[in-house]
Amino acid sequence: MSRMKAVQVDKPNSPLQLVEREIPAPGPRQVRIKVEACGVCHSDMFTVTGAYPGLQYPRVPGHEVIGTLDAVGADVPEWKTGARVGVGWHGGHCGHCPSCRRGDFITCATGQIPGISYDGGYAQYMLAPFEALASVPQEISSADAAPLLCAGITTFNALRHSGAQAGDTVAVLGIGGLGHLGVQFAAKMGFHTVAIARGADKGPLAKKLGAHEYVDSTAVNVAERLTELGGARVILATVTDAKSMSAVVNGLSVDGKLLVVGAAAEPIEVSPLSLILARRSISGWPSGTSSDSQDTLRFSVLSQIRPMIETFPLDQAPQAYARMMSGKARFRVVITPNT
Ligand SMILES: [Zn+2]
Ligand SMILES: [Zn+2]
């Protein structure tokens, strides 16, 4: 068993390709993971298109990885083979840049990302530095846990640091890969949860996920509706459309915050007066570290939060990726490399 199957990108914009490779051996401070599940994230397009600065090819994508430690390199004191672990967007940090010296590892100046900085989870095995590992509770399956390491942690960690308190109105803009988890987290954190999406048909799903209110943005003016509800203390923007974000700012309460986690390409437009008069703000949030991943998994088990997923075997990774990019997946796509 010295060979493995992996799916790689040979150069920017070339198709995902199933290849055979040597199973890599972990160096010092590294572990090897036998991958059980890897979520397919919209950010995998950085690897497919070459849009991320400094990317080197060939590269195996994938940064929502769950698997079992099957080899441990030198100088890894705490982790043992057989442990089930996860690796998310936070794939390692340098330890000596100004952010790291403050203990703020997710903003590390040279932070590593699996599937971008090194080969990720679209493979039967992968290597990771030990500081990127999260421990996975036994109550959750690997396929369910995988999307929680990017879509999950991003919404969970943004909400828990948002300043909103139990009972406050929190709106989640968009019910997709991120939003369907954001609605569940917001409801289980005790917020008056308002889900916002396009079309009446998403209403029953939003309620099933725990939303107390559903706003169909194609039928009503979202900002006016939120104002009728007293204004949102936080609007978690999970969509990738900047115009939809611009349209909700006036639905924020006094001191309300538009919290952006959807990577829209276009600028958000906002009236300065709208920000000034009600002390509103706009900020972003970058997922979290491996210990935040661990917290996300634990909270999900505690609150019975799970992603809705579609699974594909490794040799169908191109179809899995296309399915995710089509926007039609309900709601996260997961590859299972060793089944
Ligand atoms: Zn991601
Ligand atoms: Zn650093």
Side-chain angles (χ1 to χ4, degrees):
M1 72 150 228
S2 61
R3 309 281 290 174
M4 67 168 188
K5 288 196 281 181
V7 170
Q8 70 183 32
V9 184
D10 288 336
K11 57 182 195 302
N13 295 309
S14 79
L16 290 162
Q17 233 175 0
L18 185 68
V19 295
E20 267 213 356
R21 286 184 170 202
E22 289 287 311
I23 295 178
R29 300 171 68 86
Q30 282 185 330
V31 299
R32 183 171 69 211
I33 301 166
K34 184 176 182 187
V35 180
E36 290 169 10
C38 181
V40 177
C41 179
H42 193 263
S43 301
D44 294 344
M45 63 88 182
F46 285 126
T47 309
V48 173
T49 64
Y52 208 89
L55 226 158
Q56 290 177 358
Y57 290 89
R59 182 60 76 225
V60 177
H63 60 265
E64 294 184 349
V65 185
I66 302 282
T68 308
L69 284 191
D70 100 314
V72 174
D75 303 324
V76 181
E78 296 294 331
W79 297 91
K80 303 279 177 270
T81 56
R84 198 156 61 115
V85 296
V87 182
W89 183 262
H90 169 239
H93 53 263
C94 75
H96 51 74
C97 75
S99 274
C100 284
R101 290 180 62 201
R102 282 195 304 268
D104 187 6
F105 303 128
I106 195 64
T107 60
C108 172
T110 55
Q112 293 185 294
I113 306 158
I116 291 178
S117 319
Y118 54 85
D119 288 331
Y122 287 30
Q124 290 183 304
Y125 294 86
M126 68 171 275
L127 301 179
F130 73 82
E131 75 266 21
L133 299 177
S135 171
V136 181
Q138 63 176 22
E139 293 90 340
I140 189 166
S141 74
S142 294
D144 279 347
L148 295 174
L149 297 185
C150 183
I153 185 182
T154 299
T155 50
F156 170 79
N157 213 25
L159 284 170
R160 72 171 175 166
H161 289 105
S162 68
Q165 298 188 335
D168 284 352
T169 295
V170 168
V172 178
L173 178 61
I175 303 179
L178 271 71
H180 89 290
L181 289 165
V183 170
Q184 295 184 68
F185 285 126
K188 288 287 167 61
M189 285 177 185
F191 304 135
H192 173 225
T193 303
V194 182
I196 307 163
R198 297 174 63 81
D201 57 311
K202 293 231 176 94
L205 172 70
K207 293 281 172 74
K208 203 180 116 200
L209 295 170
H212 303 98
E213 302 268 348
Y214 177 69
V215 179
D216 171 6
S217 63
T218 64
V220 299
N221 180 308
V222 176
E224 284 174 16
R225 180 64 191 134
L226 289 174
T227 304
E228 282 168 19
L229 293 168
R233 180 69 180 75
V234 167
I235 301 175
L236 183 69
T238 71
V239 293
T240 50
D241 169 38
K243 282 201 172 62
S244 307
M245 298 187 199
S246 306
V248 299
V249 173
N250 287 339
L252 290 167
S253 68
V254 169
D255 291 320
K257 184 194 289 183
L258 179 70
L259 192 47
V260 179
V261 293
E266 302 296 316
I268 298 167
E269 281 184 22
V270 57
S271 143
L273 208 58
S274 159
L275 297 182
I276 294 165
L277 295 177
R279 283 192 307 261
R280 291 170 175 141
S281 60
I282 299 177
S283 59
W285 193 271
S287 69
T289 62
S290 52
S291 66
D292 294 316
S293 284
Q294 205 162 305
D295 293 347
T296 308
L297 292 168
R298 285 181 56 198
F299 185 80
S300 300
V301 166
L302 184 69
S303 308
Q304 296 173 328
I305 290 169
R306 295 291 185 278
M308 293 169 68
I309 57 170
E310 300 176 4
T311 59
F312 290 75
L314 183 63
D315 54 10
Q316 286 178 29
Q319 291 91 325
Y321 177 77
R323 176 75 178 154
M324 178 279 302
M325 289 301 280
S326 76
K328 291 182 185 141
R330 291 227 154 184
F331 284 94
R332 291 299 276 193
V333 174
V334 176
I335 294 171
T336 53
N338 277 294
T339 51

